[in-house]
Amino acid sequence: MQNELRELISRHCLTLTVELEDISLCLARLDAPNARPGPVVAEAIGLSHKIKGSSGSLGFSSISAAASLLEHYLKGINPEAAALSREEQEGIQDHLSCLNRLIHSASPQDSALYNVQI
Amino acid sequence: MSDELKRITYVEDEPDIRAVAELALTQIGGFELDVCVDGFDALRRTPDFRPDLILLDVMMPGMDGTETLAKLREIPELADVPVVFMTAKAQRHEIAAFLKLGVLSVIPKPFDPMTLSSELRDIWNMRILKDQGAPDHAERTA
């Protein structure tokens, strides 16, 4: 089982980079002129929620925690607002940068499950 | 109702989570597992599989866990099969709301694949004890 688990963990590292790209592209839409934050933020909440669940279950607790923080931050944004404040924009970027750094530096060996003995 | 938990239907749309849980439930838990990729798949397959328990993700596209639960309950042979939700929406008030829907228990995500099977067995055994008339935790500690 350990080999199968390691294969899954390795594949998940690649999945994480794709999911990070998805969330980055989603949040980049906030930079468009006249962008309405509500739908973009809602989509980004879903994407960060997904990363939180999958990375945590595959042993990447730091990535899961960073995704959880991003999700929590996004949930604090008023979906009815016409635009994000500068503080909110910077807050999103800070959380996204943290997630970006963790995902890009992650290797399969970082997973808490990589060396688990069955 | 079977005394031993053997057959589980597992419903999850996320491929990586599905794969790791499948590995855990079959190889650590030794369960006979039917894996469904979403609620629609579960509605198609579960009546034939006849599980002892259904482990159901909550946030799924198309048909979420609560809707899937409601539709599973409409199928006579599945109406009494215990359902356990697996979700990251696991704050106290969210769990209370899920329990009101009639689910047996809620396993928070992220889950630990190493203990998932024993957690399910514990949930199952508690149910058996409760059905046999043992006081639940709240009654014991009152």
Side-chain angles (χ1 to χ4, degrees), chain A residues 24-37 40 84-85 89-90 92-93 96:
Chain A
S24 301
L25 287 172
C26 171
L27 289 169
R29 299 207 316 262
L30 291 169
D31 298 333
N34 303 319
R36 300 283 301 177
V40 176
L84 295 182
S85 68
Q89 289 173 7
E90 287 173 358
I92 289 173
Q93 278 315 311
L96 191 58

Side-chain angles (χ1 to χ4, degrees), chain A:
Chain A
M1 174 173 167
Q2 195 175 42
N3 287 341
E4 288 175 65
L5 194 54
R6 285 181 173 181
E7 272 177 39
L8 273 176
I9 292 165
S10 300
R11 195 175 73 201
H12 187 64
C13 284
L14 300 175
T15 306
L16 281 172
T17 60
V18 174
E19 290 176 341
L20 178 68
E21 181 73 9
D22 288 346
I23 200 167
S24 301
L25 287 172
C26 171
L27 289 169
R29 299 207 316 262
L30 291 169
D31 298 333
N34 303 319
R36 300 283 301 177
V40 176
V41 168
E43 187 181 332
I45 287 171
L47 292 167
S48 49
H49 183 86
K50 190 170 151 182
I51 294 175
K52 175 178 75 175
S54 60
S55 60
S57 301
L58 280 142
F60 294 99
S61 55
S62 308
I63 293 172
S64 178
S68 178
L69 286 172
L70 175 60
E71 181 188 5
H72 182 76
Y73 188 83
L74 292 167
K75 281 180 173 172
I77 293 172
N78 176 10
E80 305 300 324
L84 295 182
S85 68
R86 185 172 187 80
E87 187 188 1
E88 287 171 333
Q89 289 173 7
E90 287 173 358
I92 289 173
Q93 278 315 311
D94 288 347
H95 283 83
L96 191 58
S97 298
C98 175
L99 190 60
N100 188 42
R101 194 171 57 249
L102 288 169
I103 288 178
H104 279 123
S105 64
S107 70
Q109 290 82 354
D110 295 330
S111 165
L113 301 175
Y114 193 81
N115 287 317
V116 81
Q117 298 295 322
I118 310 298

Side-chain angles (χ1 to χ4, degrees), chain B residues 38-64:
Chain B
D38 56 28
F40 300 102
D41 198 23
L43 291 174
R44 274 193 305 270
R45 302 163 59 104
T46 312
D48 287 338
F49 183 65
R50 295 297 195 97
D52 299 318
L53 180 143
I54 299 168
L55 181 59
L56 184 56
D57 180 32
V58 173
M59 283 189 71
M60 294 187 290
M63 189 193 308
D64 68 13

